[in-house]
Protein backbone atom coordinates (compact mmCIF):
# COMPACT_ATOMS: atom_id res chain seq x y z
CA UNK A 1 0.00 0.00 0.00
CA UNK A 2 1.52 3.32 -1.04
CA UNK A 3 1.75 6.51 1.04
CA UNK A 4 -1.40 8.16 -0.37
CA UNK A 5 -3.52 5.07 0.16
CA UNK A 6 -2.31 4.87 3.77
CA UNK A 7 -3.07 8.54 4.21
CA UNK A 8 -6.60 8.03 2.90
CA UNK A 9 -7.20 5.37 5.54
CA UNK A 10 -5.59 7.35 8.36
CA UNK A 11 -7.42 6.96 11.67
CA UNK A 12 -9.26 10.22 12.40
CA UNK A 13 -7.99 10.07 15.99
CA UNK A 14 -4.43 10.66 14.77
CA UNK A 15 -5.67 13.91 13.22
CA UNK A 16 -7.27 14.84 16.57
CA UNK A 17 -3.95 14.23 18.35
CA UNK A 18 -2.05 16.39 15.83
CA UNK A 19 -4.57 19.24 16.14
CA UNK A 20 -4.45 18.96 19.95
CA UNK A 21 -0.65 19.19 19.90
CA UNK A 22 -0.82 22.11 17.46
CA UNK A 23 -3.07 23.93 19.95
CA UNK A 24 -1.28 23.02 23.20
CA UNK A 25 2.42 23.24 22.25
CA UNK A 26 2.38 26.95 21.30
CA UNK A 27 1.54 27.77 24.92
CA UNK A 28 4.91 26.25 25.91
CA UNK A 29 7.02 27.26 22.89
CA UNK A 30 6.06 30.71 21.68
CA UNK A 31 7.29 32.01 18.35
CA UNK A 32 5.63 35.41 18.76
CA UNK A 33 3.67 35.39 15.51
CA UNK A 34 2.47 38.92 14.65
CA UNK A 35 -1.21 39.92 14.83
CA UNK A 36 -2.18 42.43 12.14
CA UNK A 37 -5.05 44.85 12.79
CA UNK A 38 -8.06 44.84 10.48
CA UNK A 39 -9.96 48.07 9.65
CA UNK A 40 -13.25 46.82 11.13
CA UNK A 41 -11.61 46.34 14.54
CA UNK A 42 -9.65 49.58 14.32
CA UNK A 43 -12.82 51.56 13.63
CA UNK A 44 -14.35 50.47 16.98
CA UNK A 45 -11.11 51.30 18.75
CA UNK A 46 -10.94 54.74 17.09
CA UNK A 47 -14.55 55.48 17.94
CA UNK A 48 -14.10 54.69 21.65
CA UNK A 49 -10.69 56.39 21.68
CA UNK A 50 -12.37 59.64 20.60
CA UNK A 51 -15.11 59.52 23.25
CA UNK A 52 -15.02 61.90 26.20
CA UNK A 53 -15.25 60.85 29.89
CA UNK A 54 -18.92 61.90 29.98
CA UNK A 55 -19.86 59.50 27.17
CA UNK A 56 -21.53 56.17 27.81
CA UNK A 57 -20.92 52.84 26.06
CA UNK A 58 -23.66 50.24 26.45
CA UNK A 59 -22.34 46.68 26.19
CA UNK A 60 -24.87 43.90 25.84
CA UNK A 61 -23.44 40.46 26.58
CA UNK A 62 -25.98 38.54 24.50
CA UNK A 63 -24.13 35.24 24.84
CA UNK A 64 -23.96 32.06 26.87
CA UNK A 65 -21.17 29.81 28.19
CA UNK A 66 -20.88 27.88 24.91
CA UNK A 67 -19.20 30.85 23.22
CA UNK A 68 -17.55 32.31 26.31
CA UNK A 69 -14.08 31.53 24.93
CA UNK A 70 -14.60 33.81 21.94
CA UNK A 71 -16.66 36.63 23.39
CA UNK A 72 -15.37 37.18 26.93
CA UNK A 73 -11.92 38.29 25.65
CA UNK A 74 -13.80 40.90 23.57
CA UNK A 75 -15.81 42.02 26.59
CA UNK A 76 -12.68 42.39 28.69
CA UNK A 77 -10.80 44.30 25.98
CA UNK A 78 -13.69 46.70 25.35
CA UNK A 79 -14.36 47.39 29.04
CA UNK A 80 -10.62 47.82 29.65
CA UNK A 81 -10.46 50.39 26.84
CA UNK A 82 -13.47 52.30 28.20
CA UNK A 83 -12.11 52.27 31.76
CA UNK A 84 -8.68 53.43 30.56
CA UNK A 85 -10.34 56.34 28.77
CA UNK A 86 -12.67 57.00 31.73
CA UNK A 87 -15.63 56.39 29.42
CA UNK A 88 -18.69 55.21 31.36
CA UNK A 89 -19.92 51.64 30.86
CA UNK A 90 -23.42 50.25 31.19
CA UNK A 91 -23.42 46.48 30.76
CA UNK A 92 -26.45 44.25 30.38
CA UNK A 93 -27.60 40.94 28.91
CA UNK A 94 -30.53 42.01 26.78
CA UNK A 95 -30.94 38.76 24.89
CA UNK A 96 -29.39 36.05 27.01
CA UNK A 97 -29.82 35.57 30.76
CA UNK A 98 -27.05 32.98 30.77
CA UNK A 99 -24.67 35.82 30.05
CA UNK A 100 -25.28 37.37 33.47
CA UNK A 101 -22.90 34.98 35.20
CA UNK A 102 -20.28 35.59 32.53
CA UNK A 103 -20.40 39.39 32.30
CA UNK A 104 -20.93 40.45 35.93
CA UNK A 105 -17.77 38.91 37.50
CA UNK A 106 -15.58 40.18 34.64
CA UNK A 107 -17.00 43.67 34.96
CA UNK A 108 -16.41 43.66 38.73
CA UNK A 109 -12.86 42.34 38.29
CA UNK A 110 -11.98 45.07 35.78
CA UNK A 111 -13.67 47.76 37.89
CA UNK A 112 -11.47 46.75 40.85
CA UNK A 113 -8.39 46.77 38.62
CA UNK A 114 -9.12 50.31 37.31
CA UNK A 115 -10.57 51.56 40.63
CA UNK A 116 -13.97 52.39 39.14
CA UNK A 117 -16.95 53.19 41.31
CA UNK A 118 -20.22 51.33 40.82
CA UNK A 119 -23.08 53.64 39.85
CA UNK A 120 -20.69 56.43 38.86
CA UNK A 121 -18.33 54.84 36.34
CA UNK A 122 -20.22 51.70 35.49
CA UNK A 123 -23.55 49.97 36.04
CA UNK A 124 -24.65 46.40 35.48
CA UNK A 125 -28.28 45.86 34.53
CA UNK A 126 -28.34 42.09 34.13
CA UNK A 127 -31.12 40.49 32.13
CA UNK A 128 -34.73 41.45 31.80
CA UNK A 129 -37.50 39.82 29.84
CA UNK A 130 -38.34 41.61 26.59
CA UNK A 131 -35.59 41.32 23.97
CA UNK A 132 -36.64 43.45 21.01
CA UNK A 133 -39.36 45.19 23.02
CA UNK A 134 -36.75 46.15 25.59
CA UNK A 135 -34.49 47.56 22.86
CA UNK A 136 -37.36 49.66 21.51
CA UNK A 137 -38.40 50.84 24.97
CA UNK A 138 -34.82 51.93 25.68
CA UNK A 139 -35.18 54.33 22.78
CA UNK A 140 -38.23 55.97 24.38
CA UNK A 141 -37.59 55.71 28.11
CA UNK A 142 -34.36 54.04 29.23
CA UNK A 143 -35.12 54.15 32.94
CA UNK A 144 -38.69 52.96 32.44
CA UNK A 145 -37.42 50.06 30.34
CA UNK A 146 -35.05 48.72 33.00
CA UNK A 147 -36.41 50.29 36.22
CA UNK A 148 -33.75 48.66 38.44
CA UNK A 149 -30.19 47.42 38.00
CA UNK A 150 -29.00 43.86 38.62
CA UNK A 151 -28.74 44.55 42.38
CA UNK A 152 -32.29 45.93 42.54
CA UNK A 153 -31.28 49.60 42.89
CA UNK A 154 -33.59 51.99 41.03
CA UNK A 155 -31.84 53.56 38.03
CA UNK A 156 -32.78 57.09 39.10
CA UNK A 157 -30.81 56.49 42.32
CA UNK A 158 -27.57 55.78 40.46
CA UNK A 159 -25.66 58.89 39.24
CA UNK A 160 -24.71 57.27 35.92
CA UNK A 161 -28.10 55.93 34.89
CA UNK A 162 -30.11 58.82 36.32
CA UNK A 163 -28.95 60.97 33.40
CA UNK A 164 -29.73 58.39 30.69
CA UNK A 165 -33.12 59.12 29.11
CA UNK A 166 -32.84 57.35 25.74
CA UNK A 167 -30.36 56.42 23.01
CA UNK A 168 -29.36 60.09 22.62
CA UNK A 169 -27.43 59.66 25.88
CA UNK A 170 -25.60 56.53 24.73
CA UNK A 171 -22.59 57.03 22.46
CA UNK A 172 -22.26 53.42 21.34
CA UNK A 173 -24.04 50.10 21.80
CA UNK A 174 -21.90 46.98 21.43
CA UNK A 175 -23.68 43.64 21.08
CA UNK A 176 -21.49 40.67 21.95
CA UNK A 177 -23.29 37.65 20.66
CA UNK A 178 -23.13 34.12 19.38
CA UNK A 179 -26.56 34.48 17.76
CA UNK A 180 -28.39 36.93 15.51
CA UNK A 181 -28.96 39.33 18.43
CA UNK A 182 -26.81 42.01 16.83
CA UNK A 183 -29.17 42.01 13.81
CA UNK A 184 -32.07 42.79 16.15
CA UNK A 185 -30.03 45.69 17.52
CA UNK A 186 -29.63 46.89 13.91
CA UNK A 187 -33.35 46.62 13.14
CA UNK A 188 -34.68 48.04 16.39
CA UNK A 189 -31.99 50.45 17.63
CA UNK A 190 -30.17 51.56 14.48
CA UNK A 191 -33.04 51.63 11.97
CA UNK A 192 -35.57 53.15 14.35
CA UNK A 193 -33.40 55.42 16.50
CA UNK A 194 -30.17 55.82 14.53
CA UNK A 195 -28.17 54.41 17.44
CA UNK A 196 -24.47 53.83 16.67
CA UNK A 197 -23.75 50.11 16.91
CA UNK A 198 -20.80 47.75 16.91
CA UNK A 199 -20.86 43.98 16.99
CA UNK A 200 -18.62 41.42 18.63
CA UNK A 201 -19.58 38.05 17.25
CA UNK A 202 -18.37 34.47 17.03
CA UNK A 203 -16.22 33.64 14.02
CA UNK A 204 -18.94 31.33 12.65
CA UNK A 205 -21.13 34.37 12.03
CA UNK A 206 -18.44 36.80 10.96
CA UNK A 207 -18.64 36.24 7.18
CA UNK A 208 -22.40 36.85 7.21
CA UNK A 209 -22.05 40.12 9.10
CA UNK A 210 -19.86 41.98 6.60
CA UNK A 211 -22.86 43.25 4.56
CA UNK A 212 -24.05 45.11 7.67
CA UNK A 213 -20.60 46.60 8.12
CA UNK A 214 -20.34 47.56 4.46
CA UNK A 215 -23.80 49.18 4.61
CA UNK A 216 -22.65 51.28 7.57
CA UNK A 217 -25.26 49.79 9.92
CA UNK A 218 -22.51 48.86 12.34
CA UNK A 219 -19.40 50.99 12.81
CA UNK A 220 -17.11 48.03 13.35
CA UNK A 221 -16.85 44.33 13.92
CA UNK A 222 -14.92 42.02 16.22
CA UNK A 223 -14.94 38.56 14.66
CA UNK A 224 -14.11 35.65 16.96
CA UNK A 225 -10.99 35.22 19.06
CA UNK A 226 -9.02 36.94 16.33
CA UNK A 227 -11.08 40.14 16.71
CA UNK A 228 -10.52 40.07 20.47
CA UNK A 229 -6.77 39.57 20.00
CA UNK A 230 -6.59 42.51 17.60
CA UNK A 231 -8.41 44.74 20.07
CA UNK A 232 -6.08 43.64 22.86
CA UNK A 233 -3.12 44.63 20.68
CA UNK A 234 -4.68 48.04 20.02
CA UNK A 235 -5.17 48.80 23.70
CA UNK A 236 -1.71 47.45 24.49
CA UNK A 237 -2.95 44.79 26.87
CA UNK A 238 -2.44 41.26 25.49
CA UNK A 239 -4.70 38.86 27.33
CA UNK A 240 -6.95 35.84 26.67
CA UNK A 241 -7.41 36.59 22.96
CA UNK A 242 -3.74 37.13 22.20
CA UNK A 243 -2.75 34.08 24.27
CA UNK A 244 -4.88 31.88 22.04
CA UNK A 245 -3.90 33.37 18.68
CA UNK A 246 -0.58 31.56 18.33
CA UNK A 247 -2.32 28.24 19.01
CA UNK A 248 -4.98 29.22 16.48
CA UNK A 249 -2.36 30.00 13.82
CA UNK A 250 -0.56 26.68 14.30
CA UNK A 251 -3.82 24.72 14.25
CA UNK A 252 -4.76 26.52 11.01
CA UNK A 253 -1.39 25.60 9.49
CA UNK A 254 -1.98 21.95 10.45
CA UNK A 255 -5.47 22.01 8.86
CA UNK A 256 -4.16 23.66 5.67
CA UNK A 257 -1.49 20.94 5.41
CA UNK A 258 -4.17 18.25 5.88
CA UNK A 259 -6.35 19.82 3.18
CA UNK A 260 -3.44 20.03 0.70
CA UNK A 261 -2.31 16.46 1.43
CA UNK A 262 -5.89 15.21 1.23
CA UNK A 263 -6.42 16.81 -2.17
CA UNK A 264 -3.09 15.61 -3.58
CA UNK A 265 -3.92 12.11 -2.32
CA UNK A 266 -7.39 12.24 -3.85
CA UNK A 267 -6.08 13.14 -7.30
CA UNK A 268 -3.15 10.68 -7.11
CA UNK A 269 -5.47 7.77 -6.22
CA UNK A 270 -8.04 8.87 -8.81
CA UNK A 271 -5.33 8.94 -11.52
CA UNK A 272 -4.45 5.29 -10.87
CA UNK B 1 2.45 25.16 38.15
CA UNK B 2 -0.14 25.18 40.92
CA UNK B 3 -3.14 22.86 40.61
CA UNK B 4 -6.39 24.53 41.64
CA UNK B 5 -8.02 23.58 44.94
CA UNK B 6 -11.36 25.09 43.93
CA UNK B 7 -13.90 22.21 43.67
CA UNK B 8 -15.85 24.06 40.93
CA UNK B 9 -12.71 24.17 38.78
CA UNK B 10 -12.29 20.41 39.36
CA UNK B 11 -15.90 19.79 38.31
CA UNK B 12 -15.42 21.91 35.18
CA UNK B 13 -12.15 20.05 34.47
CA UNK B 14 -13.92 16.69 34.84
CA UNK B 15 -16.71 17.68 32.45
CA UNK B 16 -14.27 19.19 29.94
CA UNK B 17 -12.35 15.90 29.75
CA UNK B 18 -15.59 13.91 29.75
CA UNK B 19 -16.87 15.78 26.70
CA UNK B 20 -13.61 15.33 24.80
CA UNK B 21 -13.59 11.56 25.43
CA UNK B 22 -16.25 11.46 22.70
CA UNK B 23 -13.44 11.97 20.17
CA UNK B 24 -12.26 8.48 21.02
CA UNK B 25 -15.74 6.98 20.97
CA UNK B 26 -19.17 7.44 22.54
CA UNK B 27 -18.96 6.46 26.20
CA UNK B 28 -20.48 6.70 29.67
CA UNK B 29 -18.51 9.80 30.74
CA UNK B 30 -19.61 11.72 27.65
CA UNK B 31 -23.22 10.72 28.22
CA UNK B 32 -23.06 11.99 31.82
CA UNK B 33 -21.64 15.34 30.65
CA UNK B 34 -24.23 15.60 27.87
CA UNK B 35 -27.19 14.89 30.14
CA UNK B 36 -25.97 17.16 32.93
CA UNK B 37 -25.55 20.03 30.41
CA UNK B 38 -29.07 19.59 29.05
CA UNK B 39 -30.59 19.19 32.52
CA UNK B 40 -28.79 22.14 34.09
CA UNK B 41 -29.54 24.35 31.09
CA UNK B 42 -33.23 23.51 31.13
CA UNK B 43 -33.50 23.89 34.90
CA UNK B 44 -31.77 27.26 34.73
CA UNK B 45 -34.19 28.53 32.07
CA UNK B 46 -37.32 27.29 33.86
CA UNK B 47 -36.33 28.91 37.18
CA UNK B 48 -35.26 32.12 35.47
CA UNK B 49 -38.40 32.50 33.37
CA UNK B 50 -40.60 31.73 36.34
CA UNK B 51 -38.76 34.19 38.58
CA UNK B 52 -38.33 37.01 36.04
CA UNK B 53 -41.53 36.68 34.06
CA UNK B 54 -44.30 35.13 36.14
CA UNK B 55 -43.14 36.48 39.51
CA UNK B 56 -41.25 39.61 38.42
CA UNK B 57 -43.43 40.86 35.58
CA UNK B 58 -46.84 39.61 36.76
CA UNK B 59 -47.19 38.59 40.40
CA UNK B 60 -45.17 41.34 42.15
CA UNK B 61 -46.60 44.30 40.15
CA UNK B 62 -50.13 42.93 40.56
CA UNK B 63 -49.87 42.13 44.26
CA UNK B 64 -48.17 45.44 45.14
CA UNK B 65 -50.34 47.78 43.06
CA UNK B 66 -53.37 46.10 41.53
CA UNK B 67 -55.03 49.38 40.54
CA UNK B 68 -52.39 50.49 38.03
CA UNK B 69 -51.30 47.02 36.92
CA UNK B 70 -54.62 45.19 36.50
CA UNK B 71 -54.13 45.17 32.69
CA UNK B 72 -51.41 42.50 33.22
CA UNK B 73 -54.26 40.02 33.66
CA UNK B 74 -54.84 40.12 29.89
CA UNK B 75 -51.39 38.79 28.85
CA UNK B 76 -51.56 36.34 31.78
CA UNK B 77 -54.84 34.91 30.44
CA UNK B 78 -53.32 34.75 26.97
CA UNK B 79 -50.34 32.90 28.43
CA UNK B 80 -52.70 30.37 30.00
CA UNK B 81 -54.50 30.04 26.66
CA UNK B 82 -51.18 28.97 25.12
CA UNK B 83 -50.97 26.15 27.66
CA UNK B 84 -54.35 24.78 26.51
CA UNK B 85 -52.47 23.11 23.64
CA UNK B 86 -51.77 20.21 25.99
CA UNK B 87 -55.56 19.59 26.38
CA UNK B 88 -56.87 18.58 22.91
CA UNK B 89 -60.48 19.57 23.74
CA UNK B 90 -59.48 23.18 24.49
CA UNK B 91 -56.45 23.46 22.19
CA UNK B 92 -58.36 25.84 19.89
CA UNK B 93 -58.00 28.57 22.54
CA UNK B 94 -54.24 28.66 22.01
CA UNK B 95 -54.76 29.86 18.43
CA UNK B 96 -56.04 33.24 19.63
CA UNK B 97 -52.98 33.80 21.80
CA UNK B 98 -50.69 32.58 19.04
CA UNK B 99 -52.46 34.78 16.51
CA UNK B 100 -51.90 37.82 18.70
CA UNK B 101 -48.23 36.98 19.25
CA UNK B 102 -47.55 36.37 15.56
CA UNK B 103 -49.50 39.44 14.49
CA UNK B 104 -47.80 41.77 16.97
CA UNK B 105 -44.38 40.28 16.24
CA UNK B 106 -44.81 40.65 12.47
CA UNK B 107 -46.17 44.16 12.90
CA UNK B 108 -43.13 45.21 14.93
CA UNK B 109 -40.65 43.47 12.67
CA UNK B 110 -41.84 44.05 9.10
CA UNK B 111 -41.19 47.79 8.63
CA UNK B 112 -37.82 47.61 10.37
CA UNK B 113 -36.69 44.47 8.57
CA UNK B 114 -37.70 45.92 5.20
CA UNK B 115 -35.86 49.14 6.03
CA UNK B 116 -32.74 47.60 7.60
CA UNK B 117 -32.53 44.26 5.84
CA UNK B 118 -33.59 45.21 2.32
CA UNK B 119 -33.61 48.95 1.59
CA UNK B 120 -30.45 49.95 3.46
CA UNK B 121 -28.66 46.90 2.06
CA UNK B 122 -29.84 47.91 -1.42
CA UNK B 123 -28.55 51.46 -0.97
CA UNK B 124 -25.21 49.99 0.08
CA UNK B 125 -24.81 48.40 -3.36
CA UNK B 126 -25.47 51.66 -5.23
CA UNK B 127 -21.85 52.68 -5.07
CA UNK B 128 -19.54 54.95 -7.07
CA UNK B 129 -16.96 52.94 -9.00
CA UNK B 130 -13.63 54.15 -7.72
CA UNK B 131 -10.29 52.89 -9.10
CA UNK B 132 -8.13 55.24 -7.04
CA UNK B 133 -5.49 53.92 -4.63
CA UNK B 134 -8.07 53.85 -1.82
CA UNK B 135 -10.98 52.49 -3.84
CA UNK B 136 -9.11 49.83 -5.86
CA UNK B 137 -12.34 48.97 -7.67
CA UNK B 138 -13.75 47.12 -4.63
CA UNK B 139 -17.14 48.73 -5.23
CA UNK B 140 -17.23 47.27 -8.75
CA UNK B 141 -16.57 43.81 -7.28
CA UNK B 142 -19.47 44.31 -4.84
CA UNK B 143 -21.81 45.40 -7.64
CA UNK B 144 -20.82 42.49 -9.91
CA UNK B 145 -21.08 40.06 -6.97
CA UNK B 146 -24.56 41.19 -5.96
CA UNK B 147 -25.97 41.27 -9.49
CA UNK B 148 -24.46 37.96 -10.66
CA UNK B 149 -25.51 36.17 -7.43
CA UNK B 150 -29.05 37.51 -7.79
CA UNK B 151 -29.14 36.35 -11.41
CA UNK B 152 -28.03 32.86 -10.31
CA UNK B 153 -31.12 32.72 -8.07
CA UNK B 154 -33.44 33.85 -10.90
CA UNK B 155 -35.04 30.60 -12.06
CA UNK B 156 -37.69 31.90 -14.48
CA UNK B 157 -35.21 31.95 -17.33
CA UNK B 158 -32.95 29.09 -18.36
CA UNK B 159 -29.30 29.64 -17.41
CA UNK B 160 -27.95 29.72 -20.97
CA UNK B 161 -25.90 32.13 -23.09
CA UNK B 162 -24.99 35.50 -21.58
CA UNK B 163 -27.54 34.96 -18.79
CA UNK B 164 -25.98 31.59 -17.94
CA UNK B 165 -22.49 33.11 -18.05
CA UNK B 166 -23.46 35.80 -15.52
CA UNK B 167 -25.12 33.13 -13.36
CA UNK B 168 -21.83 31.18 -13.45
CA UNK B 169 -19.98 34.26 -12.19
CA UNK B 170 -22.59 34.34 -9.42
CA UNK B 171 -21.69 30.74 -8.51
CA UNK B 172 -18.04 31.79 -8.11
CA UNK B 173 -19.02 34.60 -5.77
CA UNK B 174 -21.21 32.21 -3.79
CA UNK B 175 -18.36 29.69 -3.55
CA UNK B 176 -16.00 32.36 -2.25
CA UNK B 177 -18.70 33.30 0.30
CA UNK B 178 -19.14 29.67 1.39
CA UNK B 179 -15.36 29.28 1.62
CA UNK B 180 -15.07 32.34 3.85
CA UNK B 181 -17.90 31.08 6.04
CA UNK B 182 -16.35 27.63 6.32
CA UNK B 183 -12.93 29.12 7.12
CA UNK B 184 -14.46 31.23 9.85
CA UNK B 185 -16.34 28.16 11.16
CA UNK B 186 -13.09 26.20 11.49
CA UNK B 187 -11.60 29.20 13.30
CA UNK B 188 -14.60 29.38 15.63
CA UNK B 189 -14.48 25.70 16.57
CA UNK B 190 -10.76 25.92 17.25
CA UNK B 191 -11.34 29.03 19.36
CA UNK B 192 -13.73 27.08 21.57
CA UNK B 193 -11.14 24.31 21.93
CA UNK B 194 -8.47 26.91 22.71
CA UNK B 195 -10.82 28.33 25.34
CA UNK B 196 -10.94 24.94 27.04
CA UNK B 197 -7.15 24.53 26.76
CA UNK B 198 -6.74 27.98 28.37
CA UNK B 199 -9.05 26.82 31.17
CA UNK B 200 -7.19 23.55 31.73
CA UNK B 201 -3.71 25.09 31.60
CA UNK B 202 -4.57 28.38 33.30
CA UNK B 203 -7.39 27.76 35.76
CA UNK B 204 -6.77 24.10 36.57
CA UNK B 205 -2.97 23.78 36.36
CA UNK B 206 -2.43 27.43 37.37
CA UNK B 207 -0.03 28.21 34.53
CA UNK B 208 0.78 31.82 33.66
CA UNK B 209 -0.38 32.10 30.03
CA UNK B 210 0.03 35.80 29.25
Amino acid sequence: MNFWKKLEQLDRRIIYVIITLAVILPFFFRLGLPISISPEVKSIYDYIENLSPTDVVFISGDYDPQVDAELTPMLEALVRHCFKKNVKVIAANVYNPQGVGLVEPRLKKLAREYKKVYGVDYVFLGWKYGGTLLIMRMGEDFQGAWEVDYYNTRLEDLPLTSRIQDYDDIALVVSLTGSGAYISWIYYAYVQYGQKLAAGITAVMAADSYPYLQAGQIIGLLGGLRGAAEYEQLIGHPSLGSAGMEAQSWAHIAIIVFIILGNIGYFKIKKK
Amino acid sequence: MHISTNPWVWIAFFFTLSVYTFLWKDNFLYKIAEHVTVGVGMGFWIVLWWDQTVVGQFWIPLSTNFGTNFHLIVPAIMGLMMVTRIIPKYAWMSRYALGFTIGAGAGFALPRVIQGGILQQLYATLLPIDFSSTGLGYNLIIIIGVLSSLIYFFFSKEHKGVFGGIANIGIWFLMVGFGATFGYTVMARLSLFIGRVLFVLGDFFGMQLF
Side-chain angles (χ1 to χ4, degrees):
Chain A
M1 195 187 291
N2 70 14
F3 172 75
W4 299 109
K5 202 77 186 163
K6 275 183 188 165
L7 200 67
E8 193 188 31
Q9 289 163 6
L10 189 72
D11 191 328
R12 64 188 161 81
R13 285 169 287 205
I14 294 172
I15 296 172
Y16 296 153
V17 170
I18 294 170
I19 294 291
T20 305
L21 290 174
V23 167
I24 292 175
L25 289 179
F27 288 108
F28 296 94
F29 309 103
R30 286 178 194 273
L31 293 179
L33 296 176
I35 299 170
S36 58
I37 310 296
S38 48
E40 55 269 28
V41 175
K42 182 79 165 50
S43 60
I44 301 178
Y45 172 83
D46 287 341
Y47 188 83
I48 294 179
E49 189 68 12
N50 290 317
L51 293 179
S52 73
T54 53
D55 286 325
V56 176
V57 172
F58 185 97
I59 301 175
S60 186
D62 303 321
Y63 65 97
D64 51 27
Q66 293 147 18
V67 289
D68 181 54
E70 284 188 277
L71 299 178
T72 289
M74 292 180 197
L75 171 83
E76 292 202 2
L78 285 164
V79 173
R80 222 176 260 285
H81 190 198
C82 291
F83 282 172
K84 264 186 184 177
K85 292 283 301 172
N86 291 320
V87 170
K88 309 291 181 272
V89 174
I90 299 178
N93 308 90
V94 172
Y95 272 101
N96 201 323
Q98 291 188 30
V100 171
L102 305 172
V103 173
E104 197 235 2
R106 271 70 180 243
L107 196 62
K108 272 184 166 174
K109 180 190 83 174
L110 292 170
R112 272 196 304 272
E113 193 180 322
Y114 287 89
K115 297 182 174 55
K116 297 294 174 188
V117 180
Y118 186 79
V120 178
D121 301 306
Y122 75 104
V123 166
F124 182 59
L125 300 175
W127 176 79
K128 186 177 180 182
Y129 176 79
T132 50
L133 296 175
L134 192 60
I135 293 175
M136 286 196 285
R137 184 97 195 270
M138 282 165 65
E140 306 289 337
D141 174 15
F142 186 87
Q143 292 180 38
W146 286 94
E147 295 176 336
V148 293
D149 72 351
Y150 180 63
Y151 311 103
N152 241 8
T153 309
R154 295 201 67 78
L155 295 196
E156 62 259 32
D157 297 334
L158 295 166
L160 173 55
T161 45
S162 64
R163 64 182 172 88
I164 310 290
Q165 301 302 321
D166 51 36
Y167 285 127
D168 289 343
D169 302 313
I170 296 172
L172 179 70
V173 169
V174 187
S175 174
L176 302 177
T177 180
S179 69
Y182 78 100
I183 300 174
S184 291
W185 279 102
I186 290 172
Y187 290 159
Y188 296 99
Y190 172 77
V191 170
Q192 189 157 349
Y193 300 100
Q195 173 61 46
K196 284 249 185 286
L197 296 176
I201 54 176
T202 51
V204 171
M205 299 156 52
D208 294 340
S209 62
Y210 278 87
Y212 299 104
L213 181 73
Q214 195 261 335
Q217 293 168 314
I218 48 176
I219 63 156
L221 180 71
L222 301 176
L225 198 64
R226 162 91 198 190
E230 289 178 34
Y231 209 90
E232 287 172 0
Q233 297 297 315
L234 282 168
I235 61 169
H237 196 288
S239 186
L240 289 166
S242 305
M245 275 324 289
E246 192 145 329
Q248 184 110 47
S249 300
W250 282 110
H252 283 185
I253 290 168
I255 290 168
I256 290 166
V257 169
F258 285 141
I259 290 172
I260 292 170
L261 286 177
N263 276 280
I264 293 172
Y266 172 77
F267 286 110
K268 287 259 184 196
I269 291 166
K270 200 179 162 191
K271 217 173 170 182
K272 286 179 182 177
Chain B
M1 196 187 292
H2 173 72
I3 293 177
S4 172
T5 52
N6 182 343
W8 291 110
V9 172
W10 276 81
I11 290 170
F13 177 70
F14 167 75
F15 281 113
T16 299
L17 292 190
S18 300
V19 167
Y20 281 112
T21 57
F22 185 78
L23 294 176
W24 187 258
K25 63 177 185 179
D26 199 358
N27 65 79
F28 179 66
L29 284 175
Y30 173 75
K31 286 217 182 316
I32 289 177
E34 189 184 27
H35 287 79
V36 167
T37 305
V38 173
V40 169
M42 189 51 73
F44 178 83
W45 274 100
I46 289 171
V47 170
L48 198 86
W49 281 85
W50 180 263
D51 180 62
Q52 292 274 324
T53 312
V54 179
V55 177
Q57 303 279 313
F58 175 71
W59 183 248
I60 292 175
L62 215 64
S63 57
T64 50
N65 196 345
F66 185 83
T68 53
N69 294 315
F70 71 94
H71 62 277
L72 293 176
I73 292 171
V74 177
I77 290 171
M78 290 179 88
L80 289 173
M81 285 164 77
M82 289 270 201
V83 184
T84 59
R85 286 187 76 81
I86 56 175
I87 312 164
K89 194 179 168 187
Y90 301 108
W92 57 271
M93 292 171 79
S94 66
R95 291 187 198 147
Y96 290 99
L98 271 175
F100 175 81
T101 310
I102 293 167
F108 278 129
L110 271 175
R112 293 161 188 90
V113 172
I114 290 170
Q115 180 68 19
I118 300 174
L119 295 179
Q120 287 178 357
Q121 288 295 320
L122 194 64
Y123 302 151
T125 60
L126 304 175
L127 300 163
I129 297 165
D130 176 12
F131 283 101
S132 66
S133 59
T134 50
L136 292 170
Y138 289 145
N139 290 351
L140 184 65
I141 296 171
I142 290 172
I143 293 166
I144 293 172
V146 171
L147 293 179
S148 58
S149 300
L150 281 174
I151 284 171
Y152 172 73
F153 285 108
F154 187 81
F155 301 118
S156 298
K157 182 173 163 58
E158 205 175 346
H159 289 186
K160 274 183 173 175
V162 176
F163 192 78
I166 298 171
N168 271 335
I169 295 170
I171 293 175
W172 278 96
F173 274 97
L174 289 172
M175 290 302 157
V176 170
F178 295 149
T181 304
F182 183 64
Y184 265 121
T185 304
V186 170
M187 183 171 141
R189 300 302 176 234
L190 277 170
S191 298
L192 300 183
F193 180 45
I194 290 167
R196 285 294 83 197
V197 170
L198 282 168
F199 163 77
V200 171
L201 298 181
D203 295 33
F204 185 76
F205 286 113
M207 279 176 58
Q208 191 68 38
L209 295 169
F210 46 82

